[in-house]
Amino acid sequence: MKPPRKLHIKSYGCQMNVYDAQRMVDTLAPEGFIETDSAEDADLVILNTCHIREKASEKVYSELGRLRVAKDEAARNGRAMRIAVAGCVAQAEGEEIIRRAPTVDVVVGPQSYHHLPQLLARAKSEGRALETEFPVEDKFGFLPQPKPAAIRARGISAFVTVQEGCDKFCTFCVVPYTRGAEVSRPVAKIVDDVKRLADNGVREITLIGQNVNAYHGEGPDGRTWPLGKLLHRLAEIEGIARLRYSTSHPRDVEETLIAAHRDLGALMPFVHLPVQSGSDRILAAMNRKHTADDYRRVIDRFRTARQDVAFSSDFIVGFPGETEGEFAATLALVMQIGYAAAYSFKYSPRPGTPAADMWETVSAAEMDERLVRLQELIDTQQSAFNRAMIGETVDVLFERAARNPGQIVGRTAYLQPAHVFASPDIIGQVLPVTIESLERYSLLGELAGGVAQPAPTLPQLTGA
Ligand code: 5AD
Ligand code: SF4
């Protein structure tokens, strides 16, 4: 048995990184590593980086500066702290990180997390910093296909990777370069993962992938299955009350996915469908390969299938050359669709992407101003959406005890946190809650009927 050691992982960015952090915890657990909330106390600190936006690498270097101080302090107290950099910045910068930040012991890219224990051991025995051998791109510029691993059960809600990488090449985005070509896991492997998670008490599964609805995994019948068909299969697994998926591309919304929203009570009516801009000229410059009207039509197809479906999106303001009129088209689209939530970002050039070579610019002041206007509009929509819950009775999946003593917190279909005073026995159950008030983004309510009921049985679901 290895002596216990403390591990602190600081994750940035997307859900894939949250999932990857869990993968690293699982890989390092047999080495005696136990998670801690404090970087200062840790024997191993992993920065799980994201390369997608805004000066990502500079942020990593300044964080590494802070960690160097903690590492020196630990050394003065006779304790060795080791530092690893993981994630997409590690993938993009490789040994440059070790050169610029000698405090780093190991640099490891997303394809190599299963090698972490060996890398750490080698770095220690060789007394030098090490990076994984980063996979070499093929003649198309694609990285070798990653082998996603299964996830261990923790809590009520779990992520399962079904697809990694992206072939879309939006001109602003690094994902196709850092995460490589799109690859889907076979249906049987995903079904096994979900069954195991359900056996461990998980009741909600979020299928994740950079372009999740481009899923095209091998089915048990030897055919290629689309995401909608996979969702139909997963909904049959006993114990799974809720299914979600993220992140989708408007061009890959095919009919089985729409049918899944129509047919599956377990599939939550909340879809993250980034549009990025409401202007056709900007969408073309972004290489999104869809127009604002195409996007509107996709939204209509979801709404026709299930009238209570709500949407969230990502937006970029200040893409090279975006005029005030083009930005106004984004505002108009937001007004028309009406979002339950959305994320908006100022454009930032990512080295190596086509947009980084575009010469037109939008001034920093204009970008700031547009971001504020867009966020105000989104906030208004989000607050209205949340306020509309007051007085309604909605299903909540209870996940854990809340910070307030006596309260249990769960989530609605739309991922809004909902608190009730109840016994912890309700954790893991989906129960109707009458919503009484809204505090910032959190709903407060009462169990409808006042008592916990047994977990509802799932309706019998048809296959695709
Ligand atoms: N600049 C600003 N935002 C970006 N995103 C991706 N790349 C960039 C960039 N270069 C945003 C997109 C994407 C989300 C995950 O991050 O909106 O959907
Ligand atoms: Fe990036 Fe576009 Fe792929 Fe999304 S669809 S990961 S924005 S290239």
Side-chain angles (χ1 to χ4, degrees):
M1 184 69 186
K2 307 252 166 103
R5 287 178 286 175
K6 290 187 192 153
L7 164 67
H8 178 76
I9 303 187
K10 187 161 183 185
S11 271
Y12 303 84
C14 65
Q15 273 175 343
M16 189 64 80
N17 267 12
V18 176
Y19 165 82
D20 281 347
Q22 199 54 64
R23 237 166 74 186
M24 289 189 260
V25 171
D26 289 350
T27 308
L28 290 165
E31 305 294 307
F33 280 103
I34 297 163
E35 268 187 289
T36 167
D37 287 342
S38 147
E40 281 71 27
D41 293 345
D43 301 297
L44 171 62
V45 179
I46 302 178
L47 291 186
N48 189 16
T49 60
C50 171
H51 197 238
I52 208 157
R53 284 185 298 270
E54 301 196 72
K55 305 191 184 79
S57 36
E58 275 92 299
K59 279 187 191 159
V60 172
Y61 289 115
S62 65
E63 185 65 38
L64 286 172
R66 280 191 288 278
L67 284 175
R68 195 192 56 206
V69 176
K71 186 173 181 167
D72 291 348
E73 176 64 27
R76 271 194 295 278
N77 296 324
R79 193 167 59 83
M81 176 193 280
R82 286 190 297 160
I83 297 174
V85 180
C88 292
V89 173
Q91 179 76 52
E93 306 229 339
E95 68 184 317
E96 171 71 9
I97 297 178
I98 293 173
R99 210 181 50 72
R100 267 186 68 179
T103 194
V104 170
D105 298 280
V106 161
V107 175
V108 57
Q111 268 86 7
S112 310
Y113 293 150
H114 51 293
H115 292 320
L116 253 173
Q118 294 85 330
L119 262 176
L120 286 163
R122 266 185 56 206
K124 191 173 176 190
S125 69
E126 294 176 22
R128 66 187 179 100
L130 283 181
E131 53 154 333
T132 39
E133 279 158 19
F134 285 94
V136 180
E137 290 175 1
D138 68 16
K139 65 181 173 166
F140 305 110
F142 290 148
L143 295 166
Q145 303 202 338
K147 292 180 196 60
I151 190 166
R152 260 221 321 259
R154 262 186 201 79
I156 299 301
S157 183
F159 296 123
V160 172
T161 299
V162 299
Q163 175 279 340
E164 271 196 277
C166 183
D167 295 346
K168 289 283 184 294
F169 289 92
C170 300
T171 53
F172 53 80
C173 184
V174 285
V175 166
Y177 310 96
T178 56
R179 293 284 179 156
E182 199 183 294
V183 40
S184 296
R185 297 178 68 206
V187 171
K189 288 226 159 73
I190 298 164
V191 169
D192 280 354
D193 285 356
V194 173
K195 278 188 179 157
R196 204 173 43 251
L197 289 165
D199 287 346
N200 284 303
V202 168
R203 305 228 52 217
E204 175 179 78
I205 300 285
T206 305
L207 305 181
I208 58 170
Q210 268 94 22
N211 190 180
V212 74
N213 60 330
Y215 178 81
H216 57 280
E218 192 196 334
D221 53 5
R223 294 178 179 217
T224 300
W225 281 29
L227 184 66
K229 192 158 175 178
L230 174 68
L231 286 162
H232 273 89
R233 173 68 191 90
L234 299 179
E236 288 167 2
I237 295 174
E238 206 178 327
I240 297 304
R242 288 184 164 185
L243 291 167
R244 304 177 183 276
Y245 59 91
S246 192
T247 291
S248 300
H249 192 290
R251 269 177 60 91
D252 293 326
V253 178
E254 44 70 66
E255 273 316 304
T256 67
L257 185 58
I258 299 289
H261 277 280
R262 189 191 57 221
D263 300 340
L264 303 177
L267 183 56
M268 290 297 99
F270 189 38
V271 181
H272 184 56
L273 195 66
V275 63
Q276 315 295 355
S277 167
S279 148
D280 287 347
R281 193 191 73 84
I282 295 293
L283 287 169
M286 287 175 164
N287 191 32
R288 293 287 294 178
K289 298 202 181 85
H290 63 79
T291 63
D293 270 346
D294 294 334
Y295 181 80
R296 289 185 188 95
R297 278 191 287 271
V298 173
I299 297 272
D300 285 346
R301 283 165 62 212
F302 278 104
R303 286 186 167 149
T304 308
R306 192 163 169 173
Q307 133 283 314
D308 62 347
V309 67
F311 296 91
S312 62
S313 178
D314 294 339
F315 295 93
I316 296 178
V317 303
F319 188 81
E322 183 190 62
T323 63
E324 173 58 30
E326 286 161 347
F327 172 66
T330 300
L331 294 180
L333 182 70
V334 173
M335 293 285 280
Q336 243 177 4
I337 304 287
Y339 287 98
Y343 307 90
S344 40
F345 312 105
K346 288 188 275 188
Y347 169 73
S348 82
R350 309 308 311 139
T353 59
D357 294 333
M358 296 179 184
W359 55 270
E360 303 135 295
T361 51
V362 174
S363 76
E366 269 173 309
M367 275 210 217
D368 287 339
E369 193 251 355
R370 287 179 195 173
L371 189 71
V372 169
R373 278 158 69 199
L374 179 58
Q375 287 185 340
E376 273 174 6
L377 178 57
I378 291 165
D379 273 355
T380 313
Q381 294 190 339
Q382 182 165 13
S383 309
F385 185 84
N386 289 340
R387 268 199 317 276
M389 297 284 149
I390 298 172
E392 297 290 319
T393 299
V394 296
D395 278 350
V396 173
L397 170 58
F398 287 98
E399 291 183 10
R400 57 188 166 79
R403 221 173 295 151
N404 272 356
Q407 278 190 343
I408 310 295
V409 62
R411 288 187 185 269
T412 68
Y414 306 106
L415 289 177
Q416 297 145 305
H419 293 72
V420 298
F421 282 100
S423 123
D425 298 349
I426 66 167
I427 292 171
Q429 297 188 37
V430 180
L431 296 171
V433 172
T434 306
I435 304 300
E436 289 163 344
S437 61
L438 171 69
E439 237 172 61
R440 286 175 60 82
Y441 296 102
S442 199
L443 301 169
L444 292 174
E446 216 174 65
L447 287 176
V451 286
Q453 297 146 17
T457 40
L458 291 174
Q460 202 51 48
L461 300 158
T462 49

